[in-house]
Amino acid sequence: MGNFYNDVICKDSRFASLTRVNDPSLLEPSTRRLVESIVSAAQQMGIEVMIFETYRSQNRQQELFNNGATKLRTVGVHHYGLACDIVRVAAGEPCWKGDFSFLGQLAHSSGLIWGGDWGAPEIKHSFVDSVHVQRCTVTRQGDLFAGAWYPDEAYNPYHDAQHLFTAAMKAGAIKHPAKAEVATGRSRPSKKQA
Ligand SMILES: [Zn+2]
């Protein structure tokens, strides 16, 4: 069965791009629709934002890793067209400063997971990426990266039973010692490469 990653991303000339890609057409269609609705809602709130990065290649991830801009050698959800970094605009330039809680609110109401809380605001996260939104839960990432899962049009991460279980577990509502250290995945020094 085809999906956007196999059918579009893998065949795109930018598949191995070393430069940053901010083209929304490399976002999976539902992700793109939600991202664009978030951008216009932010503008309506009087907050100027821009899509900073959509798709990211493994080559670019490796380069960022080599440059010390990320601690992750392997590319994440951006590679699958399911994540986007949305930054503020200040004097025409991308800006990571300021309060991004509006992005959390818009992401939540759109059905995207926000990197500011990873869909689980009730717990304290060791890694926060407040410009990042993605269309799958952190719990789903392993299957996504393994090629075993890709969201369909109707998928909503907040209705994902696996996600709800993990969130409850992290909050202490469910005890599961073997999974007590479920990582929210990432730690890196520069927000600009998130
Ligand atoms: Zn990101």
Side-chain angles (χ1 to χ4, degrees):
M1 201 178 70
N3 63 44
F4 186 80
Y5 177 70
N6 293 322
D7 297 342
V8 178
I9 289 178
C10 289
K11 295 173 182 169
D12 193 274
S13 61
R14 292 160 290 181
F15 184 75
S17 173
L18 275 174
T19 53
R20 177 170 56 88
V21 173
N22 63 3
D23 184 353
S25 74
L26 281 188
L27 290 174
E28 175 270 334
S30 294
T31 309
R32 176 181 181 170
R33 181 171 48 80
L34 298 175
V35 161
E36 288 178 335
S37 75
I38 285 174
V39 168
S40 65
Q43 313 282 23
Q44 280 169 25
M45 292 163 75
I47 303 168
E48 199 184 347
V49 296
M50 64 182 275
I51 293 175
F52 183 75
E53 184 162 11
T54 55
Y55 170 74
R56 184 185 295 168
S57 73
Q58 177 55 46
N59 301 39
R60 173 163 156 79
Q61 186 75 30
Q62 180 71 48
E63 185 151 285
L64 293 173
F65 178 83
N66 294 346
N67 293 341
T70 176
K71 288 180 176 173
L72 285 188
R73 192 190 291 268
T74 306
V75 71
V77 181
H78 281 279
H79 185 62
Y80 298 86
L82 298 170
C84 184
D85 294 338
I86 299 170
V87 302
R88 285 173 177 268
V89 178
E93 295 294 322
C95 176
W96 284 257
K97 292 189 183 128
D99 180 16
F100 278 87
S101 58
F102 73 93
L103 188 57
Q105 289 159 15
L106 293 174
H108 190 274
S109 60
S110 306
L112 293 177
I113 299 289
W114 178 47
D117 64 19
W118 302 106
E122 65 281 6
I123 64 166
K124 188 164 165 47
H125 296 272
S126 54
F127 176 64
V128 169
D129 187 358
S130 57
V131 304
H132 175 100
V133 295
Q134 67 179 48
R135 195 160 168 262
C136 68
T137 66
V138 172
T139 323
R140 286 283 178 199
Q141 291 179 183
D143 284 348
L144 175 71
F145 302 162
W149 177 85
Y150 200 83
D152 63 20
E153 219 172 289
Y155 175 79
N156 181 325
Y158 293 100
H159 300 159
D160 187 324
Q162 248 192 63
H163 165 69
L164 295 174
F165 176 78
T166 309
M169 195 174 64
K170 285 180 176 175
I174 304 170
K175 292 277 179 254
H176 194 317
K179 284 193 173 178
E181 295 291 321
V182 178
T184 50
R186 315 190 297 171
S187 173
R188 60 183 85 167
S190 169
K191 279 183 167 182
K192 296 191 179 183
Q193 311 300 353

